[in-house]
Coordinates of all heavy atoms in Angstrom, one line a residue:
M1 N -54.4 -21.5 -11.5 CA -53.6 -21.6 -10.3 C -53.8 -23.0 -9.6 O -55.0 -23.4 -9.5 CB -54.0 -20.5 -9.3 CG -53.2 -20.5 -8.0 SD -53.6 -19.1 -7.0 CE -52.1 -18.8 -6.2
R2 N -52.8 -23.6 -9.2 CA -52.9 -25.0 -8.7 C -53.0 -24.9 -7.1 O -52.2 -24.2 -6.5 CB -51.6 -25.7 -9.1 CG -51.8 -27.1 -9.0 CD -50.6 -27.8 -9.7 NE -50.6 -29.2 -9.2 CZ -49.7 -30.0 -9.4 NH1 -48.6 -29.6 -10.1 NH2 -49.8 -31.2 -9.0
A3 N -53.9 -25.7 -6.6 CA -54.1 -25.7 -5.1 C -52.9 -26.5 -4.5 O -52.5 -27.5 -5.1 CB -55.4 -26.4 -4.8
S4 N -52.5 -26.1 -3.4 CA -51.4 -26.8 -2.7 C -52.0 -28.1 -2.1 O -53.1 -28.1 -1.6 CB -50.7 -26.0 -1.6 OG -51.7 -25.7 -0.6
V5 N -51.2 -29.1 -2.0 CA -51.6 -30.4 -1.5 C -51.0 -30.5 -0.1 O -49.9 -30.3 0.2 CB -51.0 -31.6 -2.3 CG1 -51.4 -32.9 -1.7 CG2 -51.5 -31.5 -3.8
V6 N -51.9 -30.9 0.9 CA -51.6 -31.1 2.2 C -51.6 -32.5 2.5 O -52.7 -33.2 2.4 CB -52.5 -30.3 3.2 CG1 -52.1 -30.6 4.6 CG2 -52.4 -28.8 2.9
R7 N -50.5 -33.1 2.9 CA -50.5 -34.6 3.2 C -51.0 -34.8 4.6 O -50.7 -34.0 5.6 CB -49.1 -35.1 3.1 CG -48.6 -35.0 1.7 CD -47.2 -35.6 1.5 NE -46.4 -35.5 2.7 CZ -45.7 -36.5 3.2 NH1 -45.7 -37.7 2.7 NH2 -45.0 -36.3 4.3
I8 N -51.8 -35.9 4.9 CA -52.3 -36.2 6.2 C -51.2 -36.4 7.2 O -51.3 -36.0 8.3 CB -53.3 -37.4 6.1 CG1 -53.9 -37.7 7.5 CG2 -52.5 -38.7 5.7 CD1 -55.0 -36.6 7.8
E9 N -50.1 -37.0 6.7 CA -48.9 -37.2 7.6 C -48.4 -35.9 8.2 O -48.0 -35.8 9.3 CB -47.8 -38.0 6.9 CG -48.1 -39.4 6.6 CD -48.9 -39.5 5.3 OE1 -49.2 -38.5 4.6 OE2 -49.3 -40.6 4.9
D10 N -48.4 -34.8 7.3 CA -47.9 -33.5 7.8 C -48.9 -32.9 8.8 O -48.4 -32.3 9.8 CB -47.8 -32.6 6.6 CG -46.7 -33.1 5.6 OD1 -45.8 -33.8 6.1 OD2 -46.7 -32.7 4.4
K11 N -50.2 -33.1 8.6 CA -51.1 -32.6 9.6 C -51.0 -33.3 10.9 O -51.1 -32.7 12.0 CB -52.6 -32.7 9.0 CG -52.8 -31.8 7.8 CD -52.7 -30.4 8.1 CE -53.9 -29.8 8.9 NZ -53.7 -28.4 9.1
L12 N -50.9 -34.7 10.8 CA -50.8 -35.4 12.0 C -49.6 -35.1 12.8 O -49.6 -35.1 14.1 CB -50.8 -36.9 11.7 CG -52.1 -37.5 11.2 CD1 -51.9 -39.0 10.7 CD2 -53.2 -37.5 12.2
Y13 N -48.5 -34.7 12.2 CA -47.3 -34.3 12.8 C -47.5 -33.1 13.7 O -46.7 -32.9 14.6 CB -46.2 -34.1 11.8 CG -44.8 -33.8 12.4 CD1 -44.1 -34.9 13.0 CD2 -44.3 -32.6 12.4 CE1 -42.9 -34.7 13.6 CE2 -43.0 -32.3 13.0 CZ -42.3 -33.4 13.5 OH -41.1 -33.2 14.1
Q14 N -48.5 -32.3 13.4 CA -48.8 -31.1 14.2 C -49.4 -31.4 15.6 O -49.3 -30.6 16.5 CB -49.7 -30.2 13.4 CG -49.3 -29.8 12.1 CD -48.1 -28.8 12.1 OE1 -48.0 -27.9 12.9 NE2 -47.1 -29.1 11.2
N15 N -49.9 -32.6 15.7 CA -50.6 -33.0 17.0 C -49.5 -33.4 18.0 O -48.4 -33.8 17.6 CB -51.5 -34.1 16.7 CG -52.7 -33.8 15.8 OD1 -53.1 -32.6 15.7 ND2 -53.2 -34.8 15.1
R16 N -49.9 -33.3 19.2 CA -49.1 -33.9 20.3 C -49.9 -34.9 21.0 O -51.2 -34.8 21.0 CB -48.6 -32.8 21.3 CG -47.8 -31.7 20.7 CD -46.4 -32.3 20.2 NE -45.6 -31.3 19.6 CZ -45.5 -31.1 18.3 NH1 -46.3 -31.8 17.5 NH2 -44.7 -30.2 17.8
Y17 N -49.3 -35.9 21.6 CA -50.0 -37.0 22.2 C -49.3 -37.3 23.6 O -48.1 -37.6 23.6 CB -50.0 -38.2 21.3 CG -51.0 -39.2 21.8 CD1 -52.3 -39.2 21.4 CD2 -50.7 -40.2 22.7 CE1 -53.3 -40.2 21.8 CE2 -51.6 -41.2 23.1 CZ -52.9 -41.1 22.7 OH -53.8 -42.0 23.1
L18 N -50.1 -37.3 24.6 CA -49.6 -37.6 25.9 C -50.0 -39.1 26.2 O -51.2 -39.3 26.4 CB -50.1 -36.7 27.0 CG -49.4 -36.8 28.4 CD1 -47.9 -36.7 28.3 CD2 -49.9 -35.8 29.3
V19 N -49.1 -40.0 26.3 CA -49.4 -41.4 26.5 C -49.6 -41.7 28.0 O -48.9 -41.3 28.8 CB -48.2 -42.3 26.0 CG1 -48.4 -43.7 26.3 CG2 -47.9 -42.1 24.5
D20 N -50.7 -42.4 28.2 CA -51.1 -42.9 29.5 C -50.5 -44.3 29.7 O -51.1 -45.3 29.3 CB -52.6 -42.9 29.7 CG -53.0 -43.1 31.2 OD1 -52.1 -43.2 32.0 OD2 -54.2 -43.1 31.4
A21 N -49.2 -44.3 30.1 CA -48.5 -45.6 30.0 C -49.2 -46.7 30.8 O -49.6 -46.6 31.9 CB -47.1 -45.4 30.6
G22 N -49.3 -47.8 30.1 CA -49.9 -49.0 30.7 C -51.4 -49.0 30.7 O -52.0 -49.9 31.2
R23 N -52.0 -47.9 30.2 CA -53.5 -47.8 30.3 C -54.0 -47.4 28.9 O -54.5 -46.2 28.7 CB -54.0 -46.8 31.3 CG -53.5 -47.2 32.7 CD -54.0 -46.3 33.8 NE -55.5 -46.4 33.9 CZ -56.1 -46.0 35.0 NH1 -55.5 -45.5 36.0 NH2 -57.4 -46.1 35.0
P24 N -53.9 -48.2 27.9 CA -54.4 -47.8 26.6 C -55.9 -47.7 26.6 O -56.6 -48.4 27.3 CB -54.0 -49.0 25.7 CG -53.8 -50.2 26.6 CD -53.4 -49.6 27.9
H25 N -56.4 -46.7 25.9 CA -57.8 -46.4 25.9 C -58.6 -47.2 24.9 O -59.8 -47.2 24.9 CB -58.1 -44.9 25.8 CG -57.8 -44.3 24.4 ND1 -56.6 -44.1 24.0 CD2 -58.7 -44.0 23.4 CE1 -56.6 -43.6 22.8 NE2 -57.9 -43.5 22.4
I26 N -57.9 -47.9 24.1 CA -58.5 -48.8 23.1 C -57.9 -50.2 23.2 O -56.7 -50.3 23.3 CB -58.4 -48.3 21.6 CG1 -58.9 -46.9 21.5 CG2 -59.1 -49.3 20.7 CD1 -58.6 -46.3 20.2
K27 N -58.7 -51.2 23.2 CA -58.2 -52.6 23.3 C -58.9 -53.4 22.2 O -60.1 -53.3 22.1 CB -58.4 -53.2 24.7 CG -57.6 -52.5 25.7 CD -57.9 -53.1 27.1 CE -57.2 -52.4 28.2 NZ -57.6 -52.7 29.5
V28 N -58.2 -54.3 21.5 CA -58.8 -55.2 20.6 C -59.1 -56.5 21.4 O -58.2 -57.0 22.0 CB -57.8 -55.5 19.4 CG1 -58.4 -56.6 18.5 CG2 -57.6 -54.2 18.6
R29 N -60.3 -57.0 21.2 CA -60.6 -58.2 21.9 C -59.9 -59.4 21.3 O -59.6 -59.4 20.1 CB -62.2 -58.4 21.8 CG -62.9 -57.4 22.6 CD -64.2 -57.8 23.2 NE -64.8 -56.7 23.9 CZ -66.1 -56.5 23.9 NH1 -66.9 -57.3 23.3 NH2 -66.6 -55.5 24.6
Q30 N -59.6 -60.4 22.1 CA -58.8 -61.5 21.6 C -59.5 -62.2 20.5 O -60.8 -62.3 20.5 CB -58.6 -62.5 22.7 CG -57.5 -62.0 23.8 CD -57.1 -63.1 24.7 OE1 -57.8 -64.1 24.9 NE2 -55.9 -62.9 25.3
H31 N -58.8 -62.6 19.5 CA -59.4 -63.3 18.4 C -58.3 -64.3 17.8 O -57.1 -64.0 17.9 CB -59.9 -62.4 17.3 CG -58.8 -61.4 16.8 ND1 -58.5 -60.3 17.5 CD2 -58.1 -61.4 15.7 CE1 -57.5 -59.6 16.9 NE2 -57.3 -60.3 15.7
Q32 N -58.8 -65.3 17.1 CA -57.9 -66.3 16.4 C -57.6 -65.7 15.0 O -56.5 -65.7 14.6 CB -58.6 -67.6 16.3 CG -58.8 -68.4 17.6 CD -57.5 -68.7 18.3 OE1 -56.6 -69.1 17.6 NE2 -57.4 -68.6 19.6
S33 N -58.7 -65.3 14.3 CA -58.5 -64.7 13.0 C -59.4 -63.4 13.0 O -60.4 -63.4 13.6 CB -58.8 -65.6 11.9 OG -60.2 -66.1 12.1
P34 N -58.9 -62.4 12.4 CA -59.6 -61.1 12.4 C -61.0 -61.2 11.7 O -61.0 -61.8 10.6 CB -58.7 -60.1 11.8 CG -57.7 -60.9 11.0 CD -57.7 -62.3 11.6
S35 N -62.0 -60.5 12.2 CA -63.2 -60.3 11.5 C -63.1 -59.3 10.4 O -62.1 -58.5 10.4 CB -64.3 -59.8 12.5 OG -63.9 -58.5 12.9
P36 N -64.0 -59.2 9.5 CA -63.9 -58.2 8.4 C -63.9 -56.8 9.0 O -63.2 -55.9 8.5 CB -65.2 -58.4 7.6 CG -65.5 -59.9 7.8 CD -65.1 -60.2 9.2
N37 N -64.6 -56.6 10.1 CA -64.5 -55.3 10.8 C -63.1 -54.9 11.3 O -62.7 -53.8 11.1 CB -65.5 -55.2 11.9 CG -66.9 -54.8 11.5 OD1 -67.2 -54.7 10.3 ND2 -67.8 -54.7 12.4
L38 N -62.5 -55.9 11.9 CA -61.1 -55.7 12.4 C -60.2 -55.4 11.3 O -59.3 -54.5 11.4 CB -60.6 -56.9 13.2 CG -61.2 -57.0 14.7 CD1 -60.7 -58.2 15.3 CD2 -60.8 -55.7 15.5
L39 N -60.3 -56.1 10.2 CA -59.4 -55.9 9.0 C -59.7 -54.5 8.5 O -58.8 -53.8 8.0 CB -59.6 -56.9 8.0 CG -59.1 -58.3 8.3 CD1 -59.5 -59.3 7.3 CD2 -57.6 -58.2 8.5
A40 N -61.0 -54.1 8.5 CA -61.3 -52.7 8.0 C -60.6 -51.6 8.8 O -60.3 -50.6 8.2 CB -62.8 -52.5 8.0
L41 N -60.4 -51.9 10.0 CA -59.8 -50.8 10.9 C -58.4 -50.5 10.4 O -57.9 -49.4 10.6 CB -59.7 -51.3 12.4 CG -61.1 -51.5 13.0 CD1 -60.9 -52.0 14.5 CD2 -61.9 -50.2 13.0
T42 N -57.7 -51.5 9.8 CA -56.3 -51.3 9.3 C -56.3 -50.3 8.1 O -55.3 -49.8 7.8 CB -55.6 -52.6 8.9 OG1 -56.3 -53.1 7.8 CG2 -55.6 -53.6 10.1
V43 N -57.5 -50.0 7.6 CA -57.6 -49.2 6.4 C -58.2 -47.8 6.8 O -57.8 -46.8 6.3 CB -58.4 -49.8 5.3 CG1 -58.6 -48.9 4.1 CG2 -57.8 -51.1 4.9
V44 N -59.3 -47.9 7.7 CA -60.1 -46.6 7.9 C -59.5 -45.7 9.0 O -59.8 -44.5 9.0 CB -61.5 -47.0 8.3 CG1 -62.2 -47.8 7.1 CG2 -61.6 -47.7 9.6
C45 N -58.6 -46.2 9.8 CA -58.1 -45.3 10.9 C -57.2 -44.3 10.3 O -56.2 -44.6 9.7 CB -57.4 -46.2 11.9 SG -56.5 -45.1 13.2
P46 N -57.5 -43.0 10.5 CA -56.7 -42.0 9.9 C -55.3 -41.8 10.5 O -54.4 -41.2 9.9 CB -57.6 -40.7 10.1 CG -58.4 -41.0 11.2 CD -58.7 -42.5 11.2
A47 N -55.2 -42.3 11.7 CA -53.9 -42.3 12.4 C -53.1 -43.5 12.3 O -52.0 -43.7 12.9 CB -54.1 -41.9 13.9
N48 N -53.6 -44.5 11.5 CA -52.9 -45.8 11.3 C -52.6 -46.5 12.6 O -51.5 -47.0 12.7 CB -51.7 -45.5 10.4 CG -51.2 -46.7 9.6 OD1 -52.1 -47.6 9.3 ND2 -50.0 -46.7 9.3
C49 N -53.5 -46.5 13.5 CA -53.3 -47.2 14.8 C -53.4 -48.7 14.7 O -52.9 -49.4 15.6 CB -54.2 -46.6 15.8 SG -54.0 -44.9 16.2
Y50 N -54.1 -49.2 13.7 CA -54.3 -50.7 13.6 C -53.4 -51.3 12.6 O -53.3 -50.8 11.5 CB -55.8 -50.9 13.3 CG -56.8 -50.5 14.4 CD1 -57.3 -49.2 14.4 CD2 -57.1 -51.4 15.3 CE1 -58.2 -48.8 15.4 CE2 -58.0 -51.0 16.3 CZ -58.5 -49.7 16.4 OH -59.4 -49.4 17.4
Q51 N -52.8 -52.5 13.0 CA -51.9 -53.2 12.1 C -52.2 -54.7 12.3 O -52.7 -55.1 13.3 CB -50.5 -53.0 12.6 CG -50.0 -51.5 12.5 CD -49.8 -51.0 11.1 OE1 -49.5 -51.7 10.2 NE2 -50.0 -49.7 11.0
V52 N -51.9 -55.4 11.3 CA -52.0 -56.9 11.3 C -50.6 -57.4 11.8 O -49.6 -57.0 11.1 CB -52.4 -57.5 10.0 CG1 -52.4 -59.1 10.1 CG2 -53.8 -57.0 9.6
N53 N -50.5 -58.1 12.9 CA -49.2 -58.6 13.3 C -48.8 -59.9 12.6 O -49.5 -60.4 11.7 CB -49.2 -58.8 14.9 CG -50.1 -59.9 15.3 OD1 -50.5 -60.8 14.6 ND2 -50.5 -59.8 16.6
E54 N -47.6 -60.4 13.0 CA -47.1 -61.5 12.2 C -47.9 -62.8 12.4 O -47.7 -63.7 11.7 CB -45.6 -61.7 12.6 CG -45.4 -61.9 14.1 CD -44.0 -61.8 14.5 OE1 -43.2 -61.1 13.8 OE2 -43.6 -62.4 15.6
D55 N -48.7 -62.8 13.5 CA -49.6 -64.0 13.7 C -50.9 -63.8 12.9 O -51.8 -64.6 13.1 CB -49.9 -64.2 15.2 CG -48.6 -64.5 15.9 OD1 -47.8 -65.2 15.3 OD2 -48.5 -64.1 17.1
G56 N -51.1 -62.7 12.2 CA -52.3 -62.5 11.4 C -53.4 -61.9 12.2 O -54.6 -61.9 11.8
Q57 N -53.1 -61.4 13.4 CA -54.1 -60.8 14.3 C -54.0 -59.3 14.2 O -52.9 -58.8 14.0 CB -54.0 -61.3 15.7 CG -54.2 -62.8 15.8 CD -53.8 -63.3 17.2 OE1 -52.9 -62.8 17.8 NE2 -54.5 -64.3 17.6
V58 N -55.2 -58.6 14.4 CA -55.2 -57.2 14.3 C -54.8 -56.7 15.7 O -55.4 -57.1 16.7 CB -56.5 -56.6 13.9 CG1 -56.6 -55.1 14.0 CG2 -56.8 -57.0 12.4
E59 N -53.9 -55.7 15.8 CA -53.6 -55.1 17.1 C -53.6 -53.6 17.0 O -53.5 -53.1 15.9 CB -52.2 -55.6 17.6 CG -51.1 -55.3 16.6 CD -49.7 -55.9 17.0 OE1 -49.8 -56.9 17.9 OE2 -48.7 -55.5 16.5
V60 N -53.7 -53.0 18.1 CA -53.8 -51.5 18.1 C -52.7 -50.9 18.9 O -52.3 -51.4 20.0 CB -55.2 -51.0 18.6 CG1 -55.4 -51.5 20.1 CG2 -55.4 -49.5 18.5
T61 N -52.2 -49.8 18.4 CA -51.3 -49.0 19.2 C -52.0 -47.6 19.3 O -52.1 -46.9 18.3 CB -49.9 -48.8 18.5 OG1 -49.4 -50.1 18.3 CG2 -49.0 -48.0 19.3
A62 N -52.5 -47.4 20.4 CA -53.4 -46.2 20.6 C -52.7 -44.9 20.7 O -53.3 -43.8 20.6 CB -54.3 -46.4 21.8
D63 N -51.4 -44.9 20.8 CA -50.6 -43.7 20.8 C -50.8 -43.0 19.4 O -50.5 -43.6 18.4 CB -49.1 -44.0 21.0 CG -48.8 -44.8 22.2 OD1 -49.7 -45.1 23.0 OD2 -47.6 -45.2 22.4
G64 N -51.2 -41.8 19.4 CA -51.4 -41.1 18.2 C -52.9 -41.1 17.8 O -53.3 -40.4 16.8
C65 N -53.7 -41.8 18.5 CA -55.2 -41.8 18.2 C -55.7 -40.4 18.3 O -55.4 -39.7 19.3 CB -55.9 -42.7 19.2 SG -57.7 -42.6 19.2
M66 N -56.5 -40.0 17.3 CA -57.1 -38.7 17.3 C -58.5 -38.6 17.9 O -59.2 -37.6 17.9 CB -57.2 -38.2 15.9 CG -55.8 -38.0 15.2 SD -55.9 -37.3 13.6 CE -56.9 -38.5 12.7
E67 N -59.0 -39.7 18.5 CA -60.3 -39.8 19.1 C -61.4 -39.4 18.1 O -62.4 -38.8 18.5 CB -60.3 -39.0 20.4 CG -59.3 -39.4 21.4 CD -59.1 -38.4 22.5 OE1 -60.0 -37.7 22.8 OE2 -58.0 -38.3 23.1
C68 N -61.2 -39.8 16.9 CA -62.3 -39.5 15.9 C -63.5 -40.4 16.1 O -64.6 -40.0 15.6 CB -61.7 -39.6 14.5 SG -61.4 -41.3 14.0
G69 N -63.3 -41.6 16.6 CA -64.4 -42.5 16.9 C -64.8 -43.4 15.7 O -65.8 -44.2 15.8
T70 N -64.1 -43.3 14.6 CA -64.4 -44.2 13.5 C -64.4 -45.6 13.9 O -65.3 -46.4 13.5 CB -63.4 -43.9 12.4 OG1 -63.4 -42.5 12.0 CG2 -63.7 -44.8 11.1
C71 N -63.3 -46.1 14.6 CA -63.3 -47.5 14.9 C -64.4 -47.9 15.9 O -64.9 -49.0 15.9 CB -61.9 -47.8 15.5 SG -61.4 -46.9 16.9
R72 N -64.7 -46.9 16.8 CA -65.7 -47.2 17.8 C -67.1 -47.4 17.1 O -67.8 -48.4 17.4 CB -65.8 -46.0 18.7 CG -66.9 -46.2 19.8 CD -66.9 -44.9 20.7 NE -67.7 -45.2 21.9 CZ -67.8 -44.3 22.8 NH1 -67.2 -43.1 22.8 NH2 -68.6 -44.6 23.9
V73 N -67.4 -46.6 16.1 CA -68.7 -46.8 15.4 C -68.6 -48.0 14.5 O -69.6 -48.8 14.5 CB -68.9 -45.5 14.5 CG1 -70.1 -45.8 13.5 CG2 -69.1 -44.3 15.3
L74 N -67.5 -48.3 13.9 CA -67.4 -49.5 13.0 C -67.6 -50.8 13.8 O -68.2 -51.7 13.3 CB -66.1 -49.5 12.3 CG -65.9 -50.6 11.3 CD1 -66.9 -50.5 10.1 CD2 -64.5 -50.6 10.7
C75 N -67.1 -50.8 15.0 CA -67.2 -52.0 15.8 C -68.3 -52.0 16.9 O -68.3 -52.8 17.8 CB -65.8 -52.3 16.4 SG -64.6 -52.7 15.2
E76 N -69.2 -51.1 16.8 CA -70.2 -50.9 17.9 C -71.0 -52.2 18.0 O -71.3 -52.7 19.1 CB -71.0 -49.7 17.6 CG -71.9 -49.3 18.8 CD -72.5 -47.9 18.6 OE1 -72.6 -47.5 17.4 OE2 -72.8 -47.3 19.6
E77 N -71.4 -52.7 16.9 CA -72.3 -53.9 16.9 C -71.5 -55.2 17.2 O -71.9 -56.1 17.9 CB -73.0 -54.1 15.5 CG -74.0 -52.9 15.2 CD -75.2 -53.0 16.1 OE1 -75.7 -54.1 16.4 OE2 -75.7 -52.0 16.5
S78 N -70.3 -55.3 16.6 CA -69.6 -56.5 16.7 C -68.9 -56.7 18.0 O -68.6 -57.8 18.5 CB -68.5 -56.6 15.6 OG -67.5 -55.6 15.7
G79 N -68.5 -55.6 18.7 CA -67.8 -55.6 19.9 C -66.4 -56.1 19.8 O -65.8 -56.6 20.8
D80 N -65.8 -55.9 18.6 CA -64.4 -56.3 18.4 C -63.4 -55.5 19.2 O -62.3 -56.0 19.4 CB -64.1 -56.3 16.9 CG -64.7 -57.4 16.1 OD1 -64.8 -58.5 16.6 OD2 -65.1 -57.1 15.0
I81 N -63.8 -54.3 19.6 CA -62.8 -53.5 20.4 C -63.5 -52.9 21.6 O -64.8 -52.8 21.6 CB -62.2 -52.4 19.5 CG1 -63.3 -51.4 19.1 CG2 -61.5 -52.9 18.3 CD1 -62.8 -50.1 18.5
D82 N -62.7 -52.6 22.6 CA -63.2 -51.9 23.7 C -62.6 -50.5 23.6 O -61.4 -50.3 23.5 CB -62.7 -52.5 25.1 CG -63.4 -53.8 25.3 OD1 -64.6 -54.0 25.0 OD2 -62.7 -54.8 25.8
W83 N -63.5 -49.5 23.6 CA -63.1 -48.1 23.4 C -63.6 -47.2 24.5 O -64.7 -47.2 24.9 CB -63.7 -47.7 22.0 CG -63.1 -46.5 21.4 CD1 -62.2 -46.5 20.3 CD2 -63.3 -45.1 21.7 NE1 -61.9 -45.2 20.0 CE2 -62.6 -44.3 20.8 CE3 -64.1 -44.4 22.6 CZ2 -62.6 -42.9 20.8 CZ3 -64.1 -43.0 22.7 CH2 -63.3 -42.3 21.7
S84 N -62.7 -46.3 24.9 CA -63.1 -45.3 25.9 C -62.2 -44.1 25.6 O -61.1 -44.2 25.0 CB -63.0 -45.7 27.3 OG -61.6 -46.1 27.6
Y85 N -62.6 -42.9 26.1 CA -61.7 -41.8 26.0 C -60.5 -41.9 26.9 O -60.7 -42.6 28.0 CB -62.5 -40.5 26.3 CG -63.4 -40.0 25.2 CD1 -64.8 -40.2 25.3 CD2 -62.8 -39.4 24.1 CE1 -65.6 -39.7 24.2 CE2 -63.6 -39.0 23.0 CZ -65.0 -39.1 23.1 OH -65.8 -38.7 22.1
P86 N -59.4 -41.4 26.6 CA -58.3 -41.4 27.5 C -58.7 -40.7 28.8 O -59.6 -39.8 28.8 CB -57.2 -40.7 26.8 CG -57.6 -40.7 25.4 CD -59.1 -40.7 25.3
R87 N -58.0 -41.0 29.9 CA -58.2 -40.2 31.1 C -57.9 -38.8 30.9 O -57.1 -38.4 30.0 CB -57.3 -40.8 32.2 CG -57.6 -42.2 32.7 CD -56.9 -42.5 34.0 NE -55.5 -42.5 33.8 CZ -54.6 -42.4 34.8 NH1 -55.1 -42.2 36.0 NH2 -53.3 -42.4 34.6
G88 N -58.4 -37.9 31.8 CA -58.2 -36.5 31.7 C -56.7 -36.2 31.7 O -56.0 -36.7 32.5
G89 N -56.3 -35.3 30.8 CA -54.9 -34.9 30.7 C -54.1 -35.8 29.8 O -52.9 -35.4 29.5
F90 N -54.6 -36.9 29.4 CA -53.9 -37.7 28.4 C -54.6 -37.7 27.1 O -55.7 -37.3 26.9 CB -53.8 -39.2 29.0 CG -53.1 -39.3 30.3 CD1 -53.7 -39.3 31.5 CD2 -51.7 -39.4 30.2 CE1 -53.0 -39.4 32.7 CE2 -50.9 -39.5 31.4 CZ -51.6 -39.5 32.6
G91 N -53.9 -38.3 26.1 CA -54.4 -38.4 24.8 C -53.9 -37.3 23.9 O -52.9 -36.7 24.1
V92 N -54.7 -37.0 22.8 CA -54.3 -36.1 21.8 C -54.5 -34.6 22.2 O -55.4 -34.3 22.9 CB -55.0 -36.4 20.5 CG1 -56.5 -36.1 20.6 CG2 -54.4 -35.7 19.3
L93 N -53.5 -33.8 21.8 CA -53.6 -32.4 22.0 C -53.6 -31.7 20.6 O -52.7 -31.8 19.8 CB -52.4 -31.8 22.8 CG -52.2 -32.4 24.1 CD1 -50.9 -32.0 24.7 CD2 -53.3 -32.1 25.1
F94 N -54.8 -31.1 20.2 CA -54.9 -30.6 18.9 C -54.4 -29.1 18.7 O -54.4 -28.6 17.6 CB -56.4 -30.6 18.4 CG -56.9 -32.0 18.2 CD1 -57.8 -32.6 19.0 CD2 -56.4 -32.7 17.1 CE1 -58.2 -33.9 18.8 CE2 -56.9 -34.0 16.8 CZ -57.8 -34.6 17.7
K95 N -54.0 -28.5 19.8 CA -53.8 -27.1 19.7 C -52.6 -26.7 18.9 O -52.5 -25.5 18.5 CB -53.6 -26.5 21.1 CG -52.4 -27.0 21.9 CD -52.4 -26.3 23.2 CE -51.2 -26.8 24.0 NZ -51.2 -26.1 25.4
F96 N -51.8 -27.6 18.5 CA -50.7 -27.3 17.6 C -51.0 -27.5 16.1 O -50.2 -27.2 15.3 CB -49.5 -28.2 18.0 CG -49.0 -28.0 19.4 CD1 -49.3 -28.9 20.4 CD2 -48.3 -26.9 19.8 CE1 -49.0 -28.7 21.7 CE2 -47.9 -26.7 21.1 CZ -48.3 -27.6 22.0
G97 N -52.2 -28.2 15.9 CA -52.5 -28.5 14.5 C -53.5 -27.6 13.9 O -53.8 -26.6 14.4
Ligands
LIG1 S1 -60.6 -43.3 17.3 FE1 -60.1 -42.7 15.1 S2 -57.9 -42.2 15.2 FE2 -58.4 -43.3 17.1 S3 -57.9 -45.4 16.7 FE3 -60.1 -45.2 16.2 S4 -60.1 -44.7 14.1 FE4 -58.0 -44.4 14.7

């Protein structure tokens, strides 16, 4: 018997996210060129919140963040990002997933 495959995109679709407009809970510190840690974020974030923009800089779109803390741990020493939990009532809602 073959196990069914669950795609991460399908699981993420089950979540809901309440955006705190104008108050992102994650910010990437300004940089000319991305550090190895910043580039790693474009790969390790399970919600795909980090992208390299057309200027070659890493930017974050925190909408959809699952608050797993991976990026926070990865950049704890380097200080490449500022990370905090969303304000109460905002952010991810897991109850649908
Ligand atoms: S906390 Fe997790 S889901 Fe949110 S941006 Fe960081 S790595 Fe992505």
Side-chain angles (χ1 to χ4, degrees):
M1 181 176 212
R2 199 169 164 191
S4 63
V5 176
V6 178
R7 297 182 327 135
I8 186 71
E9 291 83 3
D10 295 336
K11 295 296 285 181
L12 290 172
Y13 186 73
Q14 302 292 317
N15 297 332
R16 298 293 179 266
Y17 192 90
L18 189 56
V19 176
D20 193 359
R23 300 182 69 158
H25 70 284
I26 304 172
K27 295 176 184 167
V28 175
R29 296 211 179 141
Q30 288 192 336
H31 56 279
Q32 294 295 322
S33 58
S35 67
N37 276 4
L38 282 177
L39 289 173
L41 296 180
T42 66
V43 177
V44 301
C45 173
N48 205 23
C49 292
Y50 292 89
Q51 302 287 332
V52 177
N53 66 21
E54 57 194 26
D55 295 325
Q57 298 169 328
V58 173
E59 58 187 17
V60 62
T61 303
D63 305 355
C65 167
M66 298 186 295
E67 301 169 27
C68 69
T70 301
C71 58
R72 182 181 191 177
V73 171
L74 185 62
C75 293
E76 194 167 21
E77 295 289 323
S78 67
D80 284 324
I81 63 170
D82 292 320
W83 196 102
S84 60
Y85 282 106
R87 290 192 299 158
F90 294 96
V92 68
L93 303 171
F94 288 111
K95 64 182 180 180
F96 301 102

